[in-house]
Every structure is written in C-alpha cells, then in structure tokens.
Amino acid sequence: MSELNTPSASGRSVAEAPCVRDPLHVPVAQLVRGGVIEGIHYGSVVVLGADGRVELQIGDIEVAFYPRSALKPIQAVALLRAGLPLDGELLALTAASHSGEERHLAGTRRILELAGLAEADLRNIKDLPFDPVVRENWIRAGRLPSRLAQNCSGKHAAMLCTAQLAGWSLDDYLDPAHPLQRAIAETVEDLTGQAVAQVTVDGCGAPLFSVSLHGLARAAARIATAPTGSPEARVAEAMREHAEMASGSGRDVAALMRAVPGLISKDGFEGVQVAALPDGRTVAVKIADGADRARVPVTAAALAHCGVDPATLTEFAGAPLLGGEAVVGRIRPTRALELLTAAPVSDAMYA
C-alpha cells in the first residue's frame, strides 16, 4: 500500500511494510509437569516503554503477521473517523470478539437499527456463540448458527452502520476496494506507523491486514494515550468501562482489564494479545502455535516487565496442571519472561 516514509491520511510518516518471511520465534512458555519440562510454546513478545521505545524484545517482532481480532480496536477507530456515531457499550461491542451472550446480541441489533438495517444485512459468517456455556445452552434450545451470534457481529454491524451513514454501498462492504475498507486500511497504517504487508480474509469474512507485532503495539499505545474526545480515546474509554461488552463474562481479557486500572487489552485467534496502559506502556504477544494456555501467562509476565504489580496478575500466571486431583505442574513463562517478584519461580514448586 504505502511506500517507505510516505505520509498516512493523518499526515504522519508511514514506514515500509514488514517483511513476509518465516518468523524467528523463540521459546516463551513451558509446560512443566513434576519438575520436568514436558512441552514448549514458541512465540514473540514486545514491551514498549511510555516513550514508545522497545524495552524488551523476545523473538521476532518485526516480521509480518496477522493480528486477527487484536486489530478490532484499530478498526473501531477507523469507523469513528469515518463517522460512526457510537460511544459507550455499543462502541465496546464494535471492538469486541464477543461471547454471544444476550446483551451482545441485543447490542448488535441496536447498532443495526441505528441505520435502519437488520441481521439479514450482515455479511459475516453464521456461527454458534463463542462462549462454551452460552453455546451449549444455545444448542440445547434448538437454536441454529446465526450471523448475530458470531463473535464479530458487533464489528460487522458497525461497519454496515458506517457505510449506510456515509452513503456507501452495503452489499459489498467487505470488499477490500470498498471505501470503508480503504478507510480502515489507512487507519491501520496510520496507527501502526507502517504500510500493510498483505491483505487476506479473516475468519468472519472481513479483510484482514498484516502488520508487525511491533506495529500492533504502537497502535495500541496510540489508542491508550490519545487526547480526550479523539476517536482513539473514545475507543479506549469504551473498552475500559465496558470490558465485558468488549469480550464477555468470564473471559480472561475482561478480567485483565478489571484487574489493571486503565488497561485496554484485546486478544485475537492464533495466540495474539495486545495490552496498553494509559501512559503508553504496552505489550504485544504472539504465540506461534496459537495456544491460549500460553497466551495468558506470557501476557501477564510481559505486563510485569511493564511495571504492573505482579500481585495483581496472579490469576493470569498460568493454569495449574493436574495429575489426578493433585496439582503437578503449570504453564510458566520462560526465564526471560518470569514475573518480576522478590522470590523467582522455582522448579521445586512443580516437583
């Protein structure tokens, strides 16, 4: 899209696109059972300081990758810039990978109704609710997969609403050449500070833009530190105040935002997570094999490197591994990412 140091729509300089190549991931988490390392998760991690400089780099933070749903807060900013008139819980839902709870479905309907539209206008895939309990209850009630229940329906409803208000066509709103998607691509480049490397199709059917992990972290920092009233600040405020609307009840992302004051955080399929504090300290994580069991403790450890009190991150430090009914191990970050505590994690606790 953009070339080296060409300006974005906001006038800021945009660097060249990240390189598309084999990522040089490294070990970031270990599965320890009875004091023995049973499995290793590879990945990459970047930690930015409040000044935007890289304070910790593990693995490959500059290679092109797909942020998946971790891109949604950036997409939400783009929609606001294009005229979407949402704030509060409906804006949080716009940036959400929601659980399919009734409040998420009701919120998506409200967004559609603002533009005089209905579920039939959505072009995301049909799916069951994302949350396992909600999905099981949905199936027991005899309900079929629907576009409304799919976890990206809030984003799609907001895309349609934006297109309708702007006078753009609706049937092809997912075409990368559509004015809406061009506006989103421009915002991705503006906030990440780099050109998009590749464009493909996300699981929901929307265009998906490839950037670097470093670029994703820069964008999250921009959103978290934006001046009051700006589109970026409106997205950050909505996510902070309505964490469950931006994810769901019982979701680790919502719990993390509640545990760390002022934090905005978004996960994405295939082991992606980004989290930014109000002063700009930011972490971004990619787990190579896409494992959520590694994503959560690695993100928590990276936040500890940001200066977040490890005591507030205890519940995110890794689920215990059971042998029968006894705890015999845990997923833990590798030595480079151990939580910053007075008493470092000891192998003896897994014996």
Side-chain angles (χ1 to χ4, degrees):
M1 289 189 175
S2 299
E3 297 178 356
L4 179 62
N5 295 325
T6 58
S8 68
S10 67
R12 294 185 178 88
S13 178
V14 173
E16 63 184 352
C19 184
V20 178
R21 54 171 170 76
D22 290 349
L24 303 175
H25 294 307
V26 300
V28 293
Q30 301 165 338
L31 174 63
V32 180
R33 181 190 295 268
V36 173
I37 295 174
E38 186 176 32
I40 298 175
H41 293 282
Y42 284 69
S44 296
V45 180
V46 60
V47 174
L48 302 183
D51 60 0
R53 295 182 183 179
V54 175
E55 293 192 344
L56 179 68
Q57 173 180 343
I58 297 175
D60 197 345
I61 69 170
E62 303 297 353
V63 68
F65 90 121
Y66 290 116
R68 302 299 298 273
S69 286
L71 204 62
K72 283 178 179 172
I74 304 173
Q75 292 170 312
V77 170
L79 298 181
L80 292 181
R81 289 180 177 183
L84 181 69
L86 296 181
D87 283 292
E89 64 178 9
L90 295 186
L91 181 54
L93 182 60
T94 297
S97 300
H98 65 71
S99 291
E101 300 167 37
E102 287 302 326
R103 61 177 160 182
H104 299 132
L105 276 59
T108 300
R109 292 190 190 97
R110 286 167 58 194
I111 296 173
L112 290 169
E113 288 167 0
L114 286 173
L117 301 171
E119 180 179 355
D121 296 299
L122 294 170
R123 292 293 180 267
N124 59 316
I125 63 169
K126 295 181 180 180
D127 202 357
L128 297 170
F130 179 76
D131 182 87
V133 175
V134 177
R135 181 168 61 247
E136 182 178 351
N137 291 335
W138 184 284
I139 294 171
R140 285 181 176 177
R143 302 172 76 175
L144 299 175
S146 77
R147 300 187 196 280
L148 207 62
Q150 197 268 336
N151 75 88
C152 302
S153 64
K155 176 185 77 174
H156 280 257
M159 285 180 174
L160 276 169
C161 185
T162 304
Q164 179 82 308
L165 294 174
W168 296 328
S169 58
L170 301 183
D171 288 347
D172 60 343
Y173 77 94
L174 296 182
D175 187 330
H178 191 281
L180 177 74
Q181 300 302 334
R182 292 204 305 269
I184 291 173
E186 289 175 358
T187 298
V188 170
E189 293 190 335
D190 176 38
L191 294 183
T192 63
Q194 62 188 172
V196 168
Q198 297 276 18
V199 181
T200 188
V201 181
D202 209 341
C204 65
L208 176 61
F209 306 101
S210 178
V211 294
S212 69
L213 197 65
H214 189 182
L216 177 65
R218 282 194 297 262
R222 288 271 306 278
I223 293 171
T225 61
T228 301
S230 66
E232 296 90 332
R234 288 164 61 189
V235 170
E237 181 180 4
M239 293 179 69
R240 289 172 183 139
E241 294 187 359
H242 304 278
E244 284 78 9
M245 203 67 165
S247 55
S249 302
R251 295 272 292 280
D252 60 80
V253 180
L256 187 62
M257 285 193 280
R258 289 195 304 268
V260 182
L263 185 76
I264 61 168
S265 187
K266 184 70 188 75
D267 57 344
F269 280 150
E270 299 304 324
V272 181
Q273 185 148 352
V274 65
L277 292 157
D279 64 358
R281 290 173 291 157
T282 302
V283 308
V285 170
K286 166 62 181 175
I287 305 300
D289 62 4
D292 275 351
R293 72 178 187 180
R295 171 184 59 82
V296 178
V298 168
T299 298
L303 283 170
H305 276 275
C306 266
V308 175
D309 182 359
T312 67
L313 300 169
T314 302
E315 67 176 293
F316 310 102
L321 178 67
L322 299 180
E325 296 182 353
V327 175
V328 297
R330 183 178 299 273
I331 287 281
R332 72 176 187 193
T334 51
R335 297 294 184 188
L337 269 169
E338 279 186 347
L339 292 175
L340 304 182
T341 61
V345 176
S346 168
D347 287 340
M349 70 179 290
Y350 303 113

